[in-house]
Amino acid sequence: MTGQTAAEHDDEVTVPKDRRLLYQICRWTVAVILLQYGFAKLFGAQFTVLDSELDKPMGTVSGFWLTWYYFGYSPLFGNLLGLVQVGLGLALAFRRTTLLGAAGAAPLLAGITVLDVSYVIPYDAMLIALIGACCAGYLLWRHRRELAAVFWSDRNRAASRSRPRWAHAVLVVLLLAVPASCSYYVANYNNRSPTPLDGVWNVTAGTFQPSGLPGPAERVYFEHNRAHQVVLRSGQTWQTHHFEVDPATATIRIWRTWLSKGEQLLSGRYDLTGGRLVVTATDLASGQPLLWELRPVPPDQIRRGP
C-alpha cells in the first residue's frame, strides 16, 4: 500500500463496490471530455468563425458567435487552452495524478458551463460541460480529506505568523477596501463624467466632416462610459475625438484627440429640447458656421446595428 492516497486506500478497503465504479466512471468521463475539448482546439475544430458572421455588425451577432470569435481571435490562447485541457485529461488517466487533474478540471468545466448558459451556447454543448463539471466535482468530494488537509488543516507553513491578529485583521480590511474604492472611483468618476448629451444620435441636418472621415458624420456617439469621448461615424468608418460641454452655458467644444485634445475642431452652443439636439457652432477646420441637428437613436436600434 506504499504510496497510495487515502482515497485509493478507501477504494480497495472500505468503499462499496458501486461507489468505486462511480469514481472510475467519473474519472474517465472527465478525461474523455477534456481530451476531446483540447484536441478540438489544437486541430482547429473549435473557435473557427464563419465569414458570414464576421461580416455582421457586432450588435447583431449572437452570444455564441461572439464567444467563439473572442476565444478564437488569438491562436496562441486557443492552443494554450487546448494543451492545458489535454494535460488535465492525461492527469486523470493516472492514479497518482487523478486529484491534480480533478482539481484543474472542476473549475475549468464549471466555468465553461456558466459561459455556455450566459452566452446561450447550444444545449448539447452545455450538457457535456455540465456532466463533466459534476463528475469532476464528485472526484473532488471523494478526495475531500486530502483537500481539507492541504488547504485548511495543515495551514500555510511557508508564511509563518509574524504579526498580531489585530494587525492581520487591519491588513485584510485594507486589502478589500483599497481595490474596491479604487475600482469604484475609476468606474464612476474617472471613466464617467456624465453630460446631458450622452447617448447615440443620428444626424438629421447639417454637415460636419473632420479630416480623415470619408463623408459627413451620420451618427454621433457621446460615450457615457468613456469620459469626454465622442465618436463620429460615416459609413463604416468611426473616428474618435475629445468633447467637453458646459450645461450652465450650454456650450460644446470638440478636439481632434481624446484626452490629449490637440487641434480644436468645433466650438459653439447647443440646445437640447424635446428629444432634439441642435448645435450652432463654428467648424474650426474650415472656418464655416455649422448648424447641426441630431435625433436620439432608440436603444433597440443600436443593438440591431445600423
Side-chain angles (χ1 to χ4, degrees), residues 180-192:
S181 58
C182 288
S183 297
Y184 182 86
Y185 171 80
V186 169
N188 293 279
Y189 296 96
N190 183 70
N191 287 1
R192 296 176 186 152

Side-chain angles (χ1 to χ4, degrees), residues 1 3-10 23 95-96 99 143 145-146:
M1 295 243 193
Q4 286 184 319
T5 66
E8 289 170 344
H9 180 71
D10 284 347
Y23 180 91
R95 293 178 65 180
R96 287 183 178 273
L99 177 55
H143 288 274
R145 286 184 298 176
E146 295 102 302

Side-chain angles (χ1 to χ4, degrees), residues 126-166:
M126 180 188 70
L127 183 61
I128 291 172
L130 180 60
I131 291 172
C134 291
C135 288
Y138 176 75
L139 296 177
L140 292 183
W141 173 252
R142 288 291 307 281
H143 288 274
R144 59 190 180 278
R145 286 184 298 176
E146 295 102 302
L147 292 171
V150 170
F151 294 108
W152 187 258
S153 303
D154 291 348
R155 300 185 180 181
N156 186 353
R157 295 190 178 93
S160 59
R161 183 181 296 278
S162 58
R163 64 181 72 88
R165 289 184 180 274
W166 67 266

Side-chain angles (χ1 to χ4, degrees), residues 240-254:
T240 301
H241 300 289
H242 183 95
F243 85 100
E244 292 181 5
V245 299
D246 183 352
T249 58
T251 55
I252 179 172
R253 292 178 291 174
I254 297 178

Side-chain angles (χ1 to χ4, degrees), residues 91-105:
L92 287 160
F94 298 93
R95 293 178 65 180
R96 287 183 178 273
T97 54
T98 295
L99 177 55
L100 175 63

Side-chain angles (χ1 to χ4, degrees), residues 14-305:
T14 62
V15 176
K17 185 176 181 179
D18 58 341
R19 288 174 57 189
R20 278 183 275 164
L21 178 61
L22 179 59
Y23 180 91
Q24 295 301 329
I25 291 173
C26 288
R27 172 187 170 192
W28 291 104
T29 297
V30 178
V32 169
I33 291 173
L34 287 173
L35 289 171
Q36 182 64 51
Y37 278 171
F39 284 123
K41 294 173 180 63
L42 295 175
F43 295 145
Q46 281 189 342
F47 300 160
T48 54
V49 183
L50 304 179
D51 291 337
S52 57
E53 294 294 334
L54 289 173
D55 207 31
K56 291 180 180 179
M58 187 170 66
T60 67
V61 178
S62 68
F64 171 79
W65 286 112
L66 281 173
T67 306
W68 228 234
Y69 179 69
Y70 173 78
F71 284 108
Y73 183 82
S74 168
L76 175 63
F77 177 83
N79 288 328
L80 283 176
L81 182 58
L83 289 172
V84 168
Q85 291 174 334
V86 169
L88 292 174
L90 286 176
L92 287 160
F94 298 93
R95 293 178 65 180
R96 287 183 178 273
T97 54
T98 295
L99 177 55
L100 175 63
L108 177 63
L109 291 171
I112 292 174
T113 303
V114 172
L115 185 146
D116 288 350
V117 173
S118 302
Y119 290 87
V120 199
I121 307 300
Y123 289 113
D124 54 349
M126 180 188 70
L127 183 61
I128 291 172
L130 180 60
I131 291 172
C134 291
C135 288
Y138 176 75
L139 296 177
L140 292 183
W141 173 252
R142 288 291 307 281
H143 288 274
R144 59 190 180 278
R145 286 184 298 176
E146 295 102 302
L147 292 171
V150 170
F151 294 108
W152 187 258
S153 303
D154 291 348
R155 300 185 180 181
N156 186 353
R157 295 190 178 93
S160 59
R161 183 181 296 278
S162 58
R163 64 181 72 88
R165 289 184 180 274
W166 67 266
H168 183 261
V170 170
L171 182 62
V172 171
V173 170
L174 289 174
L175 183 66
L176 292 171
V178 173
S181 58
C182 288
S183 297
Y184 182 86
Y185 171 80
V186 169
N188 293 279
Y189 296 96
N190 183 70
N191 287 1
R192 296 176 186 152
S193 181
T195 77
L197 310 188
D198 289 357
V200 183
W201 304 80
N202 278 335
V203 178
T204 55
T207 299
F208 182 48
Q209 183 181 353
S211 62
L213 206 62
E218 303 164 356
R219 182 169 284 186
V220 181
Y221 308 79
F222 292 103
E223 298 289 2
H224 176 71
N225 291 310
R226 284 291 184 274
H228 306 300
Q229 184 176 106
V230 59
V231 179
L232 309 179
R233 198 199 85 202
S234 175
Q236 294 301 305
T237 300
W238 286 260
Q239 204 176 73
T240 301
H241 300 289
H242 183 95
F243 85 100
E244 292 181 5
V245 299
D246 183 352
T249 58
T251 55
I252 179 172
R253 292 178 291 174
I254 297 178
W255 287 266
R256 169 70 62 183
T257 307
W258 180 49
L259 296 183
S260 62
K261 296 185 177 180
E263 174 192 7
Q264 189 171 0
L265 304 176
L266 180 149
S267 178
R269 300 175 62 84
Y270 70 87
D271 178 60
L272 180 59
T273 55
R276 176 172 169 264
L277 173 62
V278 177
V279 177
T280 306
T282 301
D283 182 340
L284 296 175
S286 64
Q288 299 298 315
L290 169 66
L291 183 63
W292 215 18
E293 181 182 288
L294 304 96
R295 298 276 183 171
V297 179
D300 59 334
Q301 291 187 20
I302 300 170
R303 289 295 303 164
R304 288 201 304 267

